[in-house]
Amino acid sequence: MAPDLKSFYKTVDDLAEPFIERLRDAVAIPSISAEDERRADVVRMGMWLKGQLDSLGAAMEARPLGAQPGKEHLHLPPAIIGRYPAKKDESKRTILVYGHYDVQPASLSDGWKTEPFKLSVDDKGRMYGRGSTDDKGPVLGWLNVIESHQKAGIDFPVNLLMCFEGMEEYGSEGLDDFIIAECKPGKFFADADACCISDNYWLGTEKPCLTYGLRGCNYYSIEISGPGQDLHSGVFGGTAQEPMTDLVRVMGSLVDGDGNILIPGIKELVAPLTKEEQSLYKNIAFTMDNLYESLGSKTGIFPDKESTLMGRWRYPSLSLHGIEGAFSAPGAKTVIPAKVTGKFSIRTVPDMEPQEVDSLVYSHVDKVFKSLKSKNTMHCNLQHSGKWWVASPKHWNFTAAAKAVESVWGVQPDLTREGGSIPVTLTFEQATGKNVLLLPMGSSTDAAHSVNEKLDRKNYIEGIKLLGAYLHYVAEEPMKTS
Ligand SMILES: NCC(=O)N[C@@H](Cc1c[nH]cn1)C(=O)O
Ligand SMILES: [Zn+2]
Ligand SMILES: [Zn+2]
């Protein structure tokens, strides 16, 4: 191992407690992008991040992204961009990293064992808190890499360009145009040689991976309204057509219990499975027990690992998320809701074009609603859309990351795709024209988006070493075109 890395790793270990405190401070800011009333907290989180990087000597900027489309009274949180070292070293390679500082909603009443916005570390080193793994831990990983180099007195191996956004969990609103503009010649991200994103997870709890594919996400709402206001079900039940009854029937027509999408034409958009691709799945270190551990149950759809991985990575899925306006509290309120909005999303894969999916969804939902012959009114809308992404893992960017995994974890990483979506990945690839690598820090049991989200102390601390080692190896990798 290079002497620089040895002393870098030791410094990360020495600074573990302050790094956990930094994560505690970040988790304490409830930067929920989906809740309008939390917008000030999202902005506060972005400015906190900028302040931390300012004090590490990075050249940072908070770039406004304008008003939120459809909610013009709200400003989008700023893109926090910067470079470290503050002045570019022309002799070094330039790596662009991305992460997000917003989080999913969370409240104790959802079933959290601890306060979601208070980092709680248990005796097994599990650090619970909203955003711990998605994506505050990995974002802080980059800051901790900078600080460890400074404290260890090691030369920083690359020019680091940073782009941190505050709307990822809401479809990365406003960011695409910004990235495209800043990748133009002479602009902030123009000289990136490769990109790295740490915002996904290992397949299990033991084996690290490098990720070269993501599913896309088309997110829809179906609004059904009828009565002028909510009604007493004893007085009006049996006399009025009920929006909730219509909505449940429309939503029930979208997918079956085994995850089969029932919208005609969707399956036909999916690229056929080749023999070559099929052979990749059997060598991946993943077991059905890994699935059951992260599910917290044995309720998987498929009996075998290959079908399960394909169901997650290379086939589309349709999930029903919830119904706005419906009665959902404990107790037995006898109400007929006047207007209900169902939410569902489709995870898309090659070769599904988002607009083709939209047309199929709209015509299916229209047809089913018409067949109900209801006097209520229905509107189906796309809320946001992000396209799938598949890249080549045979690139020097991935080779460097594989060396970093071996150096830190002592194993060769699996090459994986991912069922989730990071819509800007494709934007970075297309706008920079450079390779994008996904380099996860957390594991399959982290429960991102769920209750009791956590990041294991080991994954955080070794993950900081991994990000730093990657920068060292990527600096040395000969530049090839593949
Ligand atoms: N860690 C990435 C992530 O969680 N991405 C979200 C992105 C998204 C898509 N639509 C709404 N948010 C995901 O759900 O995959
Ligand atoms: Zn994320
Ligand atoms: Zn997320």
Side-chain angles (χ1 to χ4, degrees), residues 2 49 59 88 91 140 164 184 192 222 226 229 233 287 357 374 419 474:
L49 188 59
K88 184 178 178 189
S91 70
L140 296 189
F164 301 127
K184 296 247 153 75
I222 304 173
Q229 70 273 318
S233 70
T287 63
V357 175
S374 170
V474 89

Side-chain angles (χ1 to χ4, degrees), residues 358-372:
D358 288 348
S359 313
L360 294 170
V361 166
Y362 296 145
S363 68
H364 172 78
V365 168
D366 266 344
K367 193 169 157 210
V368 174
F369 183 69
K370 281 202 182 96
S371 77
L372 302 180

Side-chain angles (χ1 to χ4, degrees), residues 100 104 133-135 167-172 199-201 214-219 345 347 384 386 419-423 448-449:
H100 63 93
Q104 287 277 324
T133 194
D134 183 16
D135 184 34
M167 284 302 273
E168 197 272 348
E169 301 291 10
Y170 201 81
S172 290
D199 186 22
N200 68 302
Y201 317 97
L214 291 163
R215 291 197 289 188
C217 185
N218 277 20
Y219 199 109
S345 70
R347 298 285 172 169
H384 58 252
S421 314
I422 308 173
H449 292 205

Side-chain angles (χ1 to χ4, degrees), residues 312-370:
R312 182 184 291 184
W313 295 351
R314 69 101 53 221
Y315 288 116
S317 61
L318 190 156
S319 301
L320 306 177
H321 301 298
I323 298 181
E324 199 180 320
F327 168 58
S328 64
K333 189 177 175 191
T334 50
V335 70
I336 298 171
K339 181 171 106 177
V340 280
T341 308
K343 312 275 176 77
F344 70 98
S345 70
I346 300 181
R347 298 285 172 169
T348 57
V349 296
D351 295 323
M352 297 168 78
E353 285 302 325
Q355 293 78 4
E356 286 184 78
V357 175
D358 288 348
S359 313
L360 294 170
V361 166
Y362 296 145
S363 68
H364 172 78
V365 168
D366 266 344
K367 193 169 157 210
V368 174
F369 183 69
K370 281 202 182 96

Side-chain angles (χ1 to χ4, degrees), residues 284-299:
I284 304 280
F286 177 77
T287 63
M288 292 308 285
D289 284 334
N290 289 142
L291 175 74
Y292 300 147
E293 188 184 11
S294 47
L295 280 181
S297 71
K298 291 199 166 185
T299 53

